[in-house]
Structures are given as C-alpha cells and as structure tokens.
C-alpha cells in the first residue's frame, strides 16, 4: 500500500520528489503523511504552501489512493518507488532521482543500459545510424533506453525491440499515450522491455515534462549516445544531464554542412567522445555484454562520399556479375544483387538501394553472405560480390 500513498503525494502540485522524500523522513511513511492532521503538519514546521496543497487535495480527493489502486489493477500498470528493491540503483545516483514512477513490463534493475537519443526529424543518415545502433547494442545484450519520441528515439526502440530489450521513458502519463505511439509501446512491453514515466497516469505532456524526462533517460545508463541533433535539439538537454551526473557522452559526427548535425559537432568540439561504431562504446565502457562476437561494424559512412575503393583487378563495366556460390532467396538475394562485382560499395550505398529492408537487419544479412562466400569485404566497410 505504501507505494500508492507515495504516488498520490507526488501527484499533488508542488509536492516534488525531494519534498515527498522529506515528508516521509519526517512522518515515517507516506501513509502517515496522508493521514496527518493540520496540527501535525504545523508541528513538523512544513511550509504553509505545502500544508495548503496537502489539505486541499485530501479534501477534494479523499479516495485518491483507492482510485489509484483500482486504476493500476484495471490498466495493468505497476508502481515502483525509490524505496523498492527493484528500483534501478544507477537511477538513484542522479540529482532529482524520481521518488516514484509508473511502468508496464518487467523491470530489470541491474542490467547494463545505453541511451540513444536524437532529433525528431532525422535525415536518412541519422535514421540508418539509429536503427543500426539500436539493433547492435541489443544484440550485444545491452538494454537500449530512449524517449519514445518520433524520429531517432522511435527508430532506436524499434531496432532494439527486434533484437533484445528496450526501455521507453515517457514525458506524459501512462494513460495519455498518443495514438501514433501505442503500437510501438505495446511491442516494447510484449518483447520484454519497459515503458515508464514519473508523471501521474492522466498527466498531459507539456514543454516542461520532456526535459524532465531526459534526466531519467540519462540517469538509467552509463552511456548516452547522441545520434543526430541540431543546435536547439532536446537531445542536447539529455547530454547536459548526462555530463552533470557523470555519465559518458558519445556522439556521432556529422558533415559540417548539415544543420541537423550542428549540435553533435558542437558536443564533440566541447569534449564529448566521437564514435564511429558500437565497438567504440563497448570498448570504452568495458560493458559486461552477453556476446562480444556480434557484428561490430562501423555504422558511420560519410554521406557525401564520392570516391569508391577499387582493387588492382580490372573494373570495366563489362564484367559480368557471376551467380552466387549457393542458392539465395528472399532478402539475401536482394542484397546480393545490390552489391556489384566490379567495384566495392559502402554500407550506406547498399542501404540506399534496398529501402524495403530494415537497416537494422542488413548487417546480419551481409554477414551471412560473407560466411557463404558470396561477397567479400575490405577494411571492414567496403563490399563487393
């Protein structure tokens, strides 16, 4: 029952996380706070505004706790408090750690996590990177954390959910999920992930709730990766929270001519770590991952690359593409046919030719083609059939 009293107290306007914890410290429990009378509040020396808020809320909603319990039962929503055993220990380290959050799914408080964030309006470059990072981190056994927003967040979630676990941190109440997000968030829970929020169930998001959400995204992980961000991107707020709370900030570099990447390049200039692969993060953080023998390819390809790498062998356009050494079907055949025989092409160029295949799946298919002897690779980034 105690967790429902904590959640109810936090739902009162002006009763923030730190205030709730202070009230519990004074009165011994949230239930005692809820049931205390005016004289007890005054004797405890509470601020008059806090006293007014508490007493007014209780008089208007005397059955608030019971209604919350019923809501959680009907909607299959769980509550975790700062005092529970399944509260992620790493989240307690940050300034302003939430005293309570609502969630669906199964919490795994001690797993290794990595946060991936970026713009809501990514370029094709950013889309491909977000998908590949989400998939490859998930394959490595890490839980991918993001904010369930359109763009980079959604792409990272989707890729991670297909290959492992992901956690979506919401900037609104769990009963206020936008229609465009319902399918994604349901899939996250179905695939073993978690959807969570610190905001009361029927709380609508506003311009202040999303920055607040970002501190939790940063707080749940040792590493925060900024995929694509302009100068005013909310992802930079997440990077700021990460730096303020001793998290490592990793950044994907961008063309100096791309406004969508100005925020990323500024972060690198100011001391964030530039990365060009999943391996860069795994090696830097020494994560205890399930399987280090995963595909750890570079996920960065220069979008404006014009030149191609050639062998010493003839590269005349008249060279015929030989049949594959084994019979190929489906997506393997599509990708094989997209890779030329007369020169090497980059992963980015392959992605541009096979838009019907999810970017997060392409690395795995390419590996299978290599193992079957159908294609060759050079310098861990160029491919030829």
């Amino acid at each position: 029952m105690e967790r429902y009293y904590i959640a109810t107290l936090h739902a009162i306007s002006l009763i923030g996380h730190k205030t709730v914890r202070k009230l519990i410290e004074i009165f011994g429990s949230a239930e005692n706070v809820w049931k205390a009378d005016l004289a007890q509040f005054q004797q405890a020396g509470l601020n008059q505004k806090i006293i007014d808020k508490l007493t007014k809320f209780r008089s208007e909603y005397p059955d608030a706790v019971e209604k919350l319990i019923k809501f959680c039962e009907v909607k299959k929503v769980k509550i975790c408090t700062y005092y529970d055993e399944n509260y992620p220990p790493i989240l307690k380290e940050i300034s302003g750690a939430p005293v309570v959050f609502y969630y669906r799914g199964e919490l795994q408080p001690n797993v290794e996590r990595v946060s991936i964030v970026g713009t809501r309006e990514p370029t094709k470059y950013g889309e491909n990177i977000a998908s590949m990072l989400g998939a490859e981190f998930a394959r490595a056994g890490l839980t991918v954390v993001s904010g369930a927003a359109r763009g980079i967040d959604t792409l990272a979630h989707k890729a991670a959910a297909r290959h492992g676990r992901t956690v979506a941190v919401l900037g609104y109440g769990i009963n206020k999920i936008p229609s465009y997000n319902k399918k994604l968030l349901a899939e996250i829970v179905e695939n073993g992930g978690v959807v969570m929020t610190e905001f009361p169930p029927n709380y609508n998001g506003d311009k202040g709730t999303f920055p607040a959400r970002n501190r939790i995204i940063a707080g749940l992980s040792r590493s925060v990766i900024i995929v694509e961000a302009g100068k005013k991107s909310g992802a930079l707020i997440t990077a700021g929270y990460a730096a303020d709370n001793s998290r490592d900030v990793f950044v994907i570099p961008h063309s100096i001519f791309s406004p969508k990447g100005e925020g990323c390049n500024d972060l690198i200039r100011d001391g964030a770590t530039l990365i060009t692969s999943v391996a860069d993060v795994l090696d830097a953080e020494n994560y205890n991952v399930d399987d280090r023998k995963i595909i750890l390819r570079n996920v960065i390809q220069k979008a404006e690359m014009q030149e191609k790498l050639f062998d010493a062998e003839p590269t005349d356009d008249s060279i015929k593409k030989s049949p594959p050494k084994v019979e190929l079907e489906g997506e393997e055949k599509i990708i094989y046919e997209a890779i030329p025989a007369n020169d090497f092409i980059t992963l980015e160029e392959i992605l541009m030719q096979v838009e019907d295949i999810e970017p997060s799946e392409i690395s795995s298919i390419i590996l299978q083609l290599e193992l079957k002897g159908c294609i060759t690779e050079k310098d861990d980034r160029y491919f030829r059939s």
Side-chain angles (χ1 to χ4, degrees):
M1 284 291 292
E2 176 68 5
R3 62 172 56 92
Y4 296 102
Y5 283 102
I6 293 174
T8 301
L9 289 178
H10 179 253
I12 303 173
S13 177
L14 290 185
I15 310 294
H17 297 290
K18 292 181 179 180
T19 301
V20 172
R21 288 171 59 187
K22 185 65 176 178
L23 289 171
I24 292 171
E25 183 181 327
I26 294 171
F27 289 91
S29 72
E31 183 176 1
N32 289 342
V33 176
W34 182 256
K35 295 179 178 179
D37 58 29
L38 180 60
Q40 289 174 303
F41 288 149
Q42 292 172 335
Q43 289 171 6
L46 299 187
N47 180 289
Q48 188 59 46
K49 287 185 178 180
I50 299 298
I51 294 175
D52 292 342
K53 283 288 182 181
L54 278 165
T55 54
K56 182 180 179 181
F57 187 88
R58 286 190 313 186
S59 65
E60 292 179 351
Y61 308 101
D63 57 349
V65 175
E66 290 73 18
K67 283 187 174 180
L68 179 59
I69 294 172
K70 184 65 175 179
F71 168 84
C72 290
E73 290 176 350
V74 172
K75 298 290 188 177
K76 294 181 172 55
V77 172
K78 305 169 189 175
I79 291 177
C80 181
T81 79
Y82 187 87
Y83 309 96
D84 293 333
E85 290 184 359
N86 61 342
Y87 189 99
I90 192 171
L91 191 56
K92 288 187 176 182
E93 298 173 4
I94 69 169
S95 174
V99 71
V100 64
F101 59 83
Y102 305 80
Y103 70 99
R104 289 192 177 103
E106 294 299 324
L107 289 179
Q108 294 185 13
N110 298 306
V111 297
E112 296 277 27
R113 306 178 195 86
V114 58
S115 295
I116 300 175
V117 295
T119 178
R120 285 178 166 81
E121 299 178 352
T123 62
K124 187 67 176 177
Y125 172 82
E127 290 176 355
N128 292 338
I129 291 170
S131 294
M132 286 186 284
L133 287 176
E136 294 188 1
F137 277 121
R139 287 193 190 105
L142 277 74
T143 295
V144 172
V145 180
S146 197
R150 296 179 188 272
I152 296 299
D153 291 15
T154 291
L155 291 163
H157 282 310
K158 285 182 176 179
R162 283 192 293 270
H163 301 281
R165 290 185 80 247
T166 184
V167 173
V169 185
L170 310 181
Y172 40 81
I174 206 160
N175 204 37
K176 290 292 184 177
I177 295 172
S179 58
Y180 74 84
N181 245 356
K182 288 184 177 179
K183 183 178 178 182
L184 169 64
L185 299 181
E187 289 176 355
I188 287 173
V189 174
E190 288 170 5
N191 291 333
V194 173
V195 173
M196 61 181 287
T197 177
E198 66 181 307
F199 301 105
N202 290 311
Y203 197 90
N204 289 309
D206 57 45
K207 63 181 181 180
T209 60
F210 292 96
R213 169 209 61 180
N214 291 353
R215 84 187 191 288
I216 297 178
I217 295 173
L220 282 169
S221 307
R222 284 198 276 141
S223 312
V224 174
I225 300 172
I226 313 300
V227 173
E228 190 167 48
K231 280 188 174 294
K232 296 183 179 181
S233 172
L236 303 183
I237 297 175
T238 308
Y241 279 124
D244 290 343
N245 288 281
S246 301
R247 279 19 178 188
D248 292 326
V249 179
F250 298 93
V251 183
I252 300 296
H254 278 253
S255 164
I256 62 172
F257 303 107
S258 170
K260 290 289 181 71
E262 285 183 320
C264 289
N265 292 342
D266 287 349
L267 287 171
I268 294 169
R269 180 198 61 205
D270 295 339
T273 301
L274 181 154
I275 61 167
T276 62
S277 71
V278 172
D280 289 342
V281 179
L282 298 183
D283 291 340
E285 299 290 54
N286 193 28
Y287 275 117
N288 180 26
V289 297
D290 293 342
D291 184 7
R292 291 304 300 273
K293 294 180 181 179
I294 59 169
I295 308 165
L296 297 177
R297 305 189 183 286
N298 285 345
V299 297
I300 304 303
Q301 307 293 341
K302 293 181 180 178
E304 64 277 8
M305 182 181 290
Q306 298 295 322
E307 296 181 356
K308 297 180 179 179
L309 184 64
F310 293 90
D311 277 13
E313 301 173 9
T315 59
D316 190 277
D317 288 340
S318 64
I319 295 178
K320 299 290 185 180
K321 186 180 180 74
S322 59
K325 296 182 179 181
V326 296
E327 187 174 348
L328 301 176
E329 296 180 350
E331 293 180 341
E332 285 188 350
K333 184 178 180 180
I334 293 172
I335 291 180
Y336 174 77
E337 292 177 348
I339 301 174
N342 62 325
D343 62 4
F344 283 91
I345 66 172
T346 67
L347 185 59
E348 180 75 14
E349 290 170 309
I350 297 171
L351 287 166
M352 293 174 67
Q353 296 184 58
V354 290
E355 294 183 355
D356 292 336
I357 301 176
E358 292 290 338
S360 60
E361 303 290 342
I362 290 179
S363 291
S364 292
I365 297 170
I366 286 176
L367 178 61
Q368 293 303 314
L369 291 174
E370 286 185 70
L371 295 175
K372 291 177 180 180
C374 297
I375 64 174
T376 58
E377 180 179 3
K378 189 167 186 175
D379 295 339
D380 198 30
R381 64 171 64 195
Y382 301 99
F383 305 92
R384 190 183 70 180
S385 61

